[in-house]
Amino acid sequence: MAIAVYPGSFDPVTLGHQDIIERSSKIMDKVIVGVLKNNSKSPLFSVEERVNMLKSVAGHLPNVEIQAFDGLLVDFVHKCRGDVIVRGLRAITDFEYELQMSQTNRVIAPGVDTIFLTTNLKYSYLSSSIVKEIAMYHGDISAFVHPVIADKITEKMSP
Ligand code: PNS
């Protein structure tokens, strides 16, 4: 059974993330979405909120699980008995960071490989940070996130 771990901050989950989850769930037997708890980026949403938001948009997929994790990603992968890490690649600007992470992970945990899915072109410019910035200025985020997530962001940002 091939198990993939798809890690990230998911602050919040975007349609680009959802696309990667759905596509990887068709390739792998099981996909565990790992939501990083202690993030240096000081997230807008708590880890519980991020996990629940992911459950609301991806919980219907029978071979997808959502879990929070802390510490090293490779330790989480071992704990989950994962075979590979999945990451989305949007553009060449992602490549250097992603290469550094995947090479480092393989040095500290030989055997843990990373596979990359190129994002759907529709979402190749999309990031959680951009979504939050647009929402902060009351812009329309309906093309970027699921309606349930758009409501959560609006709620979080209202005074
Ligand atoms: O969605 P993000 O913020 O790009 O995801 C980054 C993430 C969570 C994959 C990365 O920060 C991570 O793996 N953090 C866990 C700590 C760790 O293992 N660091 C070493 C990776 S080289």
Side-chain angles (χ1 to χ4, degrees):
M1 172 144 135
I3 301 177
V5 173
Y6 177 40
S9 307
F10 305 106
D11 184 44
V13 57
T14 67
L15 293 179
H17 295 129
Q18 277 182 243
D19 176 58
I20 298 291
I21 296 171
E22 281 161 23
R23 282 162 56 209
S24 52
S25 75
K26 288 181 189 147
I27 302 168
M28 309 298 293
D29 294 309
K30 184 169 168 184
V31 176
I32 299 173
V33 181
V35 185
L36 184 64
K37 251 186 227 174
N38 284 339
N39 198 326
S40 53
K41 292 180 186 170
S42 21
L44 175 66
F45 292 97
S46 70
V47 71
E48 291 79 17
E49 289 172 316
R50 286 178 279 143
V51 165
N52 287 334
M53 285 192 285
L54 275 153
K55 283 185 177 165
S56 65
V57 296
H60 63 286
L61 298 165
N63 61 340
V64 172
E65 259 178 38
I66 324 287
Q67 288 186 32
F69 81 98
D70 208 357
L72 284 179
L73 171 59
V74 291
D75 291 340
F76 179 63
V77 173
H78 284 142
K79 195 179 127 231
C80 299
R81 300 187 184 286
D83 298 292
V84 285
I85 295 167
V86 171
R87 292 283 287 172
L89 265 187
R90 289 169 300 189
I92 194 75
T93 41
D94 278 345
F95 185 73
E96 207 165 325
Y97 171 61
E98 293 298 336
L99 186 68
Q100 184 187 29
M101 275 208 305
S102 63
Q103 297 290 35
T104 309
N105 283 333
R106 212 146 54 92
V107 169
I108 58 177
V112 177
D113 262 307
T114 303
I115 59 169
F116 296 100
L117 293 187
T118 52
T119 48
N120 186 315
L121 267 185
K122 273 195 295 188
Y123 309 127
S124 59
Y125 56 89
L126 186 54
S127 71
S128 299
S129 318
I130 284 185
V131 170
K132 284 182 281 190
E133 190 165 323
I134 297 168
M136 199 167 75
Y137 296 112
H138 311 291
D140 179 9
I141 52 171
S142 60
F144 311 130
V145 292
H146 188 285
V148 167
I149 307 301
D151 287 348
K152 295 276 177 210
I153 299 172
T154 309
E155 200 180 296
K156 180 67 96 180
M157 288 193 173
S158 42

